[in-house]
Amino acid sequence: MTVATEAGSEGLVFHPMDQFIVKPLFGGDTVGMFTITNATLWMALTVLAITAMFVLGTRGRAIIPSRAQSVAELGYGFIHKMVEDVAGKDALKFFPYIMTLFLFIVFSNFLGLLPKSFTTTSHIAVTAVLAMLVFLTVTIVGFVKHGAGFLSLFWVSSAPLPLRPVLAVIEVISYFVRPVSHSIRLAGNMMAGHAVIKVFAAFAPLVLMSGIGILVTPLSIIAIVAMYGLEILVSFIQAYVFTILTCVYLRDALHPHH
Amino acid sequence: MANATEGAAGKAAEGSGGMPQLDFSTFDNQIFWLAVALVAIYLILSRVALPRIGGVLAERAGTITADIAAAEDLKLKAEEAEKAYNQAIIDARAEAAKIIAEARAEIQADLDEATARADAEISGKTAESEKRIAEIRASALDSVTVVAQDTAAALVAALGGAADDKTVTAAVSERMKG
């Protein structure tokens, strides 16, 4: 692979993936299950940021909200409405669960945009757990609520009878592909954007090494800024997409009949 | 990466060609801390934050609804008050008109009575005056007769004649009739 190699003797270094390395914070080389790593730190910061906004920000319980409280209320209303509109009123008991997923993802994404930070949601291990949580919840809820009737989700009764077995196979496959796409979409987006920023960043110091840098350095800085703006958008959109897909899957579990 | 460490991090960076995401040795660590973080967020949200925000939003909606209801109520009251005010004005006008009419009738009655009394007095006085005038006229006529007889008797005596009272009186009466 070329990404981790050094480009030329001037020392233009490309390590776009180094930012994703999970490493112990307090010395040592091995990452055990309970080692405090940079992933631990940034997850803790996510928890703290959520606490700051949703607990400290709302401690006034004001009828006329403060700025922090109104942002917290905005987030609450946004997800509450999404759950209600997409998954239905009876899905509102899953609202804290979906809110947890959304806030974890959106805060992780945005904290990951800080320079030198670690993006927990760029790791497939994290997003896969999130996606599997959704998948298992949806499946269990579906079978608990509807028993074997949940299987009618795969039996497209509006299709012509001969087509139904074929469609059933496709539906089953698509059902099991859901957690895969659900998790890789999020991790892939976060990883790709951060890696691209890092690649442009590696080009930025070229002006110190060669004449062509006069052209390349401003371009790469502009590119970093543009990518950063795009990443801000992507950070929110991917959290939104993850959450709304969760709601869609939940609706399937609560109302499996097409 | 000649001095790469033997640790998992180092291996991830060099081994898989820069995909630390696929370094499975860090998965248990990430999953453990993710579980901790998610449980923490879930507990914070479901125990503290969400009930609080939901309460605030409900309270605000309640306040707004109550305020709107109160405003509607006040508006109704204002309309009622306006209606009552208009009614009061109409009543007052009617009352005033009634009082004016009564006063006018009373004054008219007083006036009529006074006029009647005055008329009666005037006619009484007139009758008395006429009687007095008649008396005066009668007494004046009598006096004239007496004076005429006396004058006639004196004239006759002065002319040297002797006049008896009867003749003089008859002559005077004769003359006075003419």
Side-chain angles (χ1 to χ4, degrees):
Chain A
M1 296 293 283
T2 54
V3 281
T5 59
E6 300 187 358
S9 55
E10 290 100 345
L12 200 60
V13 189
F14 288 97
H15 289 306
M17 303 308 274
D18 280 7
Q19 58 175 320
F20 302 120
I21 295 172
V22 177
K23 44 184 175 280
L25 274 188
F26 304 110
D29 292 326
T30 50
V31 177
M33 190 169 183
F34 307 113
T35 314
I36 310 272
T37 61
N38 47 354
T40 315
L41 171 69
W42 287 95
M43 283 181 193
L45 289 176
T46 304
V47 175
L48 285 181
I50 292 172
T51 311
M53 176 170 283
F54 283 83
V55 176
L56 297 184
T58 60
R59 72 185 182 284
R61 296 163 207 258
I63 291 289
I64 297 159
S66 63
R67 273 180 288 187
Q69 190 186 326
S70 69
V71 174
E73 284 172 10
L74 207 66
Y76 179 101
F78 180 63
I79 301 301
H80 196 270
K81 190 171 182 319
M82 187 197 290
V83 174
E84 196 175 345
D85 289 354
V86 176
K89 260 202 172 344
D90 46 350
L92 279 179
K93 58 178 178 293
F94 296 99
F95 168 59
Y97 178 66
I98 293 171
M99 190 76 175
T100 303
L101 291 177
F102 174 75
L103 288 181
F104 176 78
I105 295 169
V106 83
F107 274 79
S108 296
N109 289 355
F110 278 120
L111 285 175
L113 282 175
L114 295 173
K116 293 283 182 188
S117 72
F118 175 84
T119 318
T120 52
T121 41
S122 68
H123 272 263
I124 193 72
V126 169
T127 59
V129 169
L130 295 174
M132 281 310 291
L133 278 176
V134 172
F135 179 77
L136 290 177
T137 308
V138 164
T139 309
I140 291 168
V141 166
F143 277 112
V144 166
K145 277 218 132 187
H146 303 284
F150 181 55
L151 292 174
S152 69
L153 180 66
F154 307 116
W155 195 251
V156 186
S157 52
S158 58
L161 192 57
L163 271 180
R164 282 184 208 172
V166 183
L167 285 175
V169 172
I170 295 171
E171 289 280 337
V172 169
I173 292 173
S174 86
Y175 188 80
F176 284 99
V177 167
R178 274 177 181 182
V180 179
S181 63
H182 207 185
S183 56
I184 291 181
R185 182 185 302 111
L186 176 58
N189 267 289
M190 297 320 295
M191 184 184 74
H194 286 67
V196 168
I197 288 180
K198 215 48 173 200
V199 169
F200 282 127
F203 274 113
L206 198 64
V207 70
L208 302 174
M209 301 163 198
S210 89
I212 193 128
I214 294 170
L215 200 68
V216 172
T217 298
L219 275 179
S220 59
I221 289 173
I222 290 170
I224 292 171
V225 173
M227 275 308 295
Y228 199 90
L230 186 68
E231 279 304 290
I232 290 174
L233 206 67
V234 167
S235 289
F236 179 75
I237 288 174
Q238 286 307 318
Y240 175 75
V241 165
F242 192 98
T243 316
I244 204 160
L245 282 174
T246 303
C247 292
V248 169
Y249 298 161
L250 197 57
R251 183 192 57 197
D252 281 348
L254 294 170
H255 315 282
H257 311 289
H258 284 281
Chain B
M1 302 285 265
N3 58 345
T5 58
E6 291 302 304
K11 265 191 290 180
E14 69 176 359
S16 64
M19 272 292 265
Q21 279 87 349
L22 297 179
D23 178 7
F24 294 101
S25 67
T26 65
F27 271 31
D28 56 350
N29 177 273
Q30 292 190 62
I31 291 169
F32 169 72
W33 288 113
L34 172 66
V36 171
L38 285 182
V39 168
I41 296 171
Y42 182 81
L43 288 180
I44 289 167
L45 287 183
S46 64
R47 295 287 157 87
V48 185
L50 298 184
R52 185 187 287 173
I53 297 173
V56 168
L57 291 179
E59 199 184 329
R60 182 175 309 144
T63 306
I64 290 171
T65 315
D67 281 1
I68 288 174
E72 292 275 330
D73 210 36
L74 289 177
K75 197 181 157 203
L76 272 181
K77 269 185 191 158
E79 273 169 10
E80 252 167 47
E82 198 194 348
K83 220 182 280 174
Y85 168 77
N86 285 336
Q87 190 57 48
I89 285 181
I90 290 169
D91 284 355
R93 284 219 181 99
E95 187 78 7
K98 212 168 79 185
I99 288 169
I100 289 170
E102 265 172 22
R104 189 174 283 158
E106 214 169 287
I107 290 167
Q108 192 63 48
D110 282 355
L111 193 63
D112 287 352
E113 197 191 341
T115 310
R117 203 154 2 118
D119 280 353
E121 219 166 281
I122 288 168
S123 57
K125 286 240 171 83
T126 309
E128 204 178 318
S129 304
E130 273 171 0
K131 209 171 84 194
R132 288 271 305 278
I133 289 167
E135 269 171 22
I136 290 168
R137 188 176 280 160
S139 72
L141 218 54
D142 284 351
S143 303
V144 166
T145 312
V146 172
V147 169
Q149 284 167 356
D150 286 354
T151 310
L155 277 172
V156 169
L159 291 172
D164 62 324
D165 285 349
K166 263 187 192 162
T167 321
V168 170
T169 305
V172 167
S173 301
E174 187 79 6
R175 278 288 182 183
M176 291 219 14
K177 269 177 203 162

